[in-house]
Amino acid sequence: MNCDENMESNVYFHIQDEAERLLKEIELMKKNVENSELYAGMRFDLEHNETFQQCLFRLLGSHSHVQVVIYALGSMEYSFHSQFQLAVVLLLKQDISNWIGNIQVYDPLMSPADMLVFRKLDVEMLTIDENCKRQVRRPTMFYMPLPSYWLIGNLLGANWSSSCINQIFLLTNSFRYLLTNISSCNQNGETSHRVERILPFTTEFDIKTSHEEIYTNVFSRFSWRFFDVGPNVNMETSLPGTGSLSILIQLGEFIGWSMTLALNIIYFVVTDSVTKITKYERSGGDRHWLDWQRYLEEVFLEIMQSDMSSEGFAQFLGENRGPRHLRCNSVPPPLGWIKLNIYGIGTEGDQPGRFSGVFQDDTGICLGKYSGTIDANDNVIAGLEALRNGLVRCVEGKPKAQKLMVESDNVILIQYLNGQPEPNELTMCRYFEEAFLEDMQSDMSSEGFAQSLGTYRGPRRLRCNSVPPPLGWIKLNIYGIGTEGDQPGRFSGVFQDDTGMCLGSYSDTIDAKDNVIAGLEALRNGLVRCVEGKPKAQKLMVESDNVILIQYLNGHPEPNELTMCKLKEISDLLKRITCAFYHVYEEANEAARDLALRDERHNQE
């Protein structure tokens, strides 16, 4: 059945089908989260951090398990971030089942498909918006991935007594980060006051990772948080409950809420504890789920027609799952775009891995296709090879694409390409190879290449093998070795074009003990030849197996005085050619190395 066909009359089919797809995606997400550095850090605290375990055992008391309540999760149908956040707590339940009990969840954005998924996962759905004002009677963990600050204030306020607050612990934003970044709007006023008062009674365990930038929009300064307030501490007086300050806070809240009431409040309900619950419209309004799909499709098409950068598209598409209509049907790309559908499957038994790609223009016409085999077990790696082949074709103008929309049915592959979540090492190598190829085809300056190549070590395939440079570039492999005993220092260089053809080579001796100085002399000789048009090079990719030399050329670390003088000698030459300096291993630099180490002197033009 076409997913767009008679959608209004096939509501049940839509919900059931979407729920099944979501379950598959969440299982894939769980596998990826399980191997991430973020989750490893969380597991370490749970299993090996003695202070963490002491806080947990104190909170549990005579209870065997904690209740888990999830707020501010969002919708898995509309957000990949929500899928990632749910995968974390599902893994905790799976791996730490000895103290994590049943899980409850509520978010106003939950769709019917989300609800079916929760039912399949044995997660209880709350039917009333508690507005994060649940007052606990037993040990409870509140998991709030990216909450509005006032929701944290609501939760603290509902449990503002030692008998309650000592029974909760949070997995959410760091309180210290919250106080630094919280706005001064009326709705956040009480939150900041409560956080400031409870901070001295709080034990925080930050969840750190070297991939902070990947998790910025998924978790913001994430941490575990326990409270330990003595029974003699009067928490009502710790935070103004009466008096002028409290009245000002309440008046400010009333003014802020009354303005919101005119626009956004849908209804009021009263719970058993006589707590007022307010339901607010979220971004996009309180739409029926079919309206949400149309809304997302409009936003998607609007963004695709914008001048957004690749980074902007990655951020948007890495977070938003996109409208069902575009995920279920092969639709031509927006005007001015080329679409590339890629597929990859790893080796299985005696069957080799395979990959393929199909190009399509904005009228739906096929512009070309390709396929090949790959020796890789991982479907993601096979998919990345499909992408690499497609990018190479685009760089060669077959087809010529300034804007490329890449589609794949491998959700993890697409998430990696959009910068989240954290990929494994092998995938990261392939990912950097794609990024490297993209950089080399850009109009980046020498300074830009230096910053990029001085930071990232680059893909192993390019470091281990002598590979022709990208289209439009000339490659120069250089080698230098200093004097040793009665053997003079030597240097050499070999030029190669983008087809792999040798364009010339040179070698000579040098009176220098330092290998870096000999390597710089090899570079100076090569730059002189390029300036003279032998060969003519506007973009020069320089490779060397001397990692320190390449790091100096890319601007760090700071060279010694002798090296600095040599760098100044070639600085004028460097200004005349766009250069990218790249470190390779000895086997990839073999041609230049062998030339320098020959007994007789060569100087071929």
Side-chain angles (χ1 to χ4, degrees):
M1 179 185 298
N2 187 299
C3 293
D4 196 37
E5 177 188 347
N6 299 321
M7 185 60 71
E8 302 287 352
S9 60
N10 289 289
V11 172
Y12 178 75
F13 165 79
H14 168 95
I15 297 172
Q16 189 74 27
D17 180 69
E18 200 64 25
E20 290 173 3
R21 294 173 189 267
L22 281 171
L23 281 167
K24 291 177 182 177
E25 290 179 17
I26 290 166
E27 283 304 310
L28 288 171
M29 196 69 81
K30 280 176 63 179
K31 291 178 182 178
N32 201 71
V33 172
E34 192 170 22
N35 296 322
S36 70
E37 186 181 335
L38 174 87
Y39 187 68
M42 297 175 74
R43 284 285 302 273
F44 181 85
D45 280 338
L46 292 171
E47 296 173 347
H48 303 291
N49 189 315
E50 292 183 6
T51 307
F52 182 96
Q53 292 177 345
Q54 290 170 4
C55 291
L56 179 62
F57 294 146
R58 175 185 53 76
L59 178 136
L60 280 170
S62 60
H63 294 83
S64 59
H65 291 79
V66 297
Q67 165 83 60
V68 177
V69 180
I70 307 174
Y71 294 137
L73 181 69
S75 168
M76 296 170 297
E77 183 175 1
Y78 304 127
S79 172
F80 287 118
H81 286 182
S82 297
Q83 292 184 18
F84 189 95
Q85 292 156 357
L86 178 66
V88 168
V89 76
L90 291 176
L91 283 169
L92 290 174
K93 167 75 172 174
Q94 170 187 301
D95 298 336
I96 320 290
S97 58
N98 59 319
W99 60 264
I100 292 183
N102 67 307
I103 301 174
Q104 296 179 329
V105 64
Y106 180 81
D107 194 288
L109 289 181
M110 285 190 303
S111 71
D114 291 328
M115 295 176 185
L116 264 182
V117 169
F118 285 131
R119 195 170 299 141
K120 292 276 189 183
L121 295 172
D122 197 27
V123 174
E124 180 186 350
M125 294 166 293
L126 301 173
T127 57
I128 295 177
D129 187 349
E130 299 175 338
N131 222 11
C132 299
K133 290 185 177 180
R134 175 182 294 201
Q135 190 175 64
V136 303
R137 294 288 182 266
R138 54 167 293 184
T140 305
M141 167 182 153
F142 289 95
Y143 176 48
M144 304 166 72
L146 277 176
S148 299
Y149 293 140
W150 57 273
L151 292 176
I152 294 177
N154 283 1
L155 182 61
L156 293 176
N159 295 279
W160 203 246
S161 66
S162 59
S163 61
C164 291
I165 206 159
N166 287 346
Q167 293 197 79
I168 70 175
F169 73 108
L170 310 182
L171 182 55
T172 187
N173 298 344
S174 163
F175 276 7
R176 290 178 177 82
Y177 177 75
L178 184 152
L179 286 173
T180 304
N181 293 274
I182 195 169
S183 67
S184 58
C185 70
N186 295 323
Q187 212 169 23
N188 290 331
E190 187 175 358
T191 297
S192 59
H193 280 280
R194 290 195 188 279
V195 170
E196 285 175 352
R197 295 297 189 275
I198 198 64
L199 202 55
F201 305 97
T202 303
T203 302
E204 278 194 9
F205 300 90
D206 292 331
I207 299 169
K208 296 179 180 179
T209 169
S210 61
H211 297 277
E212 292 290 351
E213 69 284 353
I214 294 178
Y215 300 106
T216 300
N217 296 319
V218 183
F219 302 113
S220 186
R221 302 298 192 277
F222 218 41
S223 66
W224 301 95
R225 194 164 304 100
F226 292 87
F227 306 100
D228 187 8
V229 180
N232 298 325
V233 175
N234 188 333
M235 294 187 67
E236 290 299 331
T237 58
S238 295
L239 180 74
T242 58
S244 58
L245 182 55
S246 177
I247 292 171
L248 284 172
I249 293 172
Q250 293 171 17
L251 180 61
E253 288 175 346
F254 173 76
I255 293 171
W257 288 349
S258 63
M259 293 168 65
T260 308
L261 278 166
L263 298 172
N264 290 335
I265 286 186
I266 308 302
Y267 58 78
F268 295 97
V269 297
V270 179
T271 66
D272 293 338
S273 59
V274 201
T275 302
K276 184 188 292 185
I277 306 296
T278 306
K279 181 178 178 183
Y280 292 91
E281 285 190 354
R282 302 303 175 99
S283 175
D286 193 39
R287 289 180 166 86
H288 187 270
W289 55 273
L290 283 175
D291 291 332
W292 260 108
Q293 297 220 346
R294 296 190 183 96
Y295 171 73
L296 282 175
E297 188 169 342
E298 291 168 6
V299 171
F300 178 83
L301 292 174
E302 182 180 332
I303 286 177
M304 296 304 288
Q305 294 299 338
S306 69
D307 294 326
M308 191 178 287
S309 64
S310 295
E311 292 76 14
F313 284 118
Q315 184 174 347
F316 176 79
L317 297 172
E319 177 178 355
N320 297 288
R321 190 165 171 261
R324 177 178 169 85
H325 163 67
L326 298 180
R327 282 184 284 108
C328 289
N329 298 281
S330 180
V331 180
L335 189 66
W337 286 74
I338 299 292
K339 187 170 76 167
L340 170 61
N341 285 83
I342 58 173
Y343 179 80
I345 185 168
T347 57
E348 189 171 348
D350 58 354
Q351 294 295 316
R354 297 199 64 85
F355 64 86
S356 61
V358 179
F359 291 104
Q360 187 182 43
D361 69 9
D362 52 23
T363 67
I365 294 176
C366 178
L367 300 178
K369 51 190 175 181
Y370 57 91
S371 65
T373 59
I374 181 173
D375 183 19
N377 296 323
D378 193 325
N379 292 352
V380 170
I381 299 300
L384 285 171
E385 182 61 21
L387 174 60
R388 190 189 69 80
N389 272 259
L391 290 173
V392 168
R393 283 166 169 76
C394 290
V395 166
E396 294 172 347
K398 307 171 186 176
K400 188 174 182 180
Q402 292 184 321
K403 290 185 175 183
L404 185 68
M405 175 190 284
V406 180
E407 292 184 346
S408 169
D409 57 11
N410 188 321
V411 65
I412 299 299
L413 166 62
I414 294 298
Q415 284 288 283
Y416 284 157
L417 291 169
N418 284 326
Q420 51 210 319
E422 173 193 341
N424 59 44
E425 185 177 357
L426 183 59
T427 305
M428 203 65 162
C429 289
R430 289 277 179 165
Y431 175 78
F432 277 130
E433 188 169 337
E434 312 300 344
F436 175 81
L437 184 62
E438 185 178 334
D439 281 348
M440 296 303 287
Q441 292 305 325
S442 70
D443 294 325
M444 194 179 289
S445 64
S446 295
E447 292 75 15
F449 285 118
Q451 184 175 351
S452 175
L453 298 174
T455 303
Y456 298 108
R457 191 161 169 255
R460 176 178 172 82
R461 187 181 78 89
L462 299 182
R463 284 183 281 116
C464 290
N465 300 282
S466 180
V467 180
L471 188 68
W473 286 74
I474 298 294
K475 187 171 76 166
L476 170 61
N477 284 83
I478 58 173
Y479 181 82
I481 185 170
T483 58
E484 188 172 350
D486 58 354
Q487 294 295 318
R490 298 194 67 85
F491 65 84
S492 63
V494 178
F495 291 105
Q496 187 183 44
D497 69 9
D498 52 24
T499 68
M501 183 182 295
C502 179
L503 299 178
S505 59
Y506 57 90
S507 67
D508 208 336
T509 59
I510 181 175
D511 183 19
K513 295 181 179 180
D514 194 326
N515 292 353
V516 170
I517 298 299
L520 286 172
E521 183 60 24
L523 174 60
R524 190 190 69 79
N525 272 258
L527 291 173
V528 168
R529 283 167 167 76
C530 289
V531 168
E532 294 172 350
K534 305 172 186 177
K536 189 175 181 180
Q538 292 184 322
K539 290 185 174 183
L540 186 67
M541 181 180 192
V542 180
E543 291 184 346
S544 170
D545 56 20
N546 188 322
V547 66
I548 300 301
L549 167 62
I550 294 297
Q551 284 289 285
Y552 284 157
L553 289 167
N554 283 325
H556 42 272
E558 183 180 348
N560 57 41
E561 187 175 352
L562 184 62
T563 306
M564 185 66 82
C565 291
K566 193 69 177 177
L567 284 169
K568 286 180 179 177
E569 278 185 36
I570 61 175
S571 59
D572 288 338
L573 293 168
L574 289 172
K575 292 175 183 176
R576 302 175 68 174
I577 304 170
T578 299
C579 292
F581 302 103
Y582 193 72
H583 172 247
V584 294
Y585 294 145
E586 284 188 358
E587 54 265 40
N589 204 40
E590 188 175 12
R593 185 172 182 273
D594 286 352
L595 182 62
L597 297 180
R598 288 177 188 169
D599 292 333
E600 60 181 355
R601 176 177 173 175
H602 293 277
N603 191 356
Q604 302 172 3
E605 294 295 333

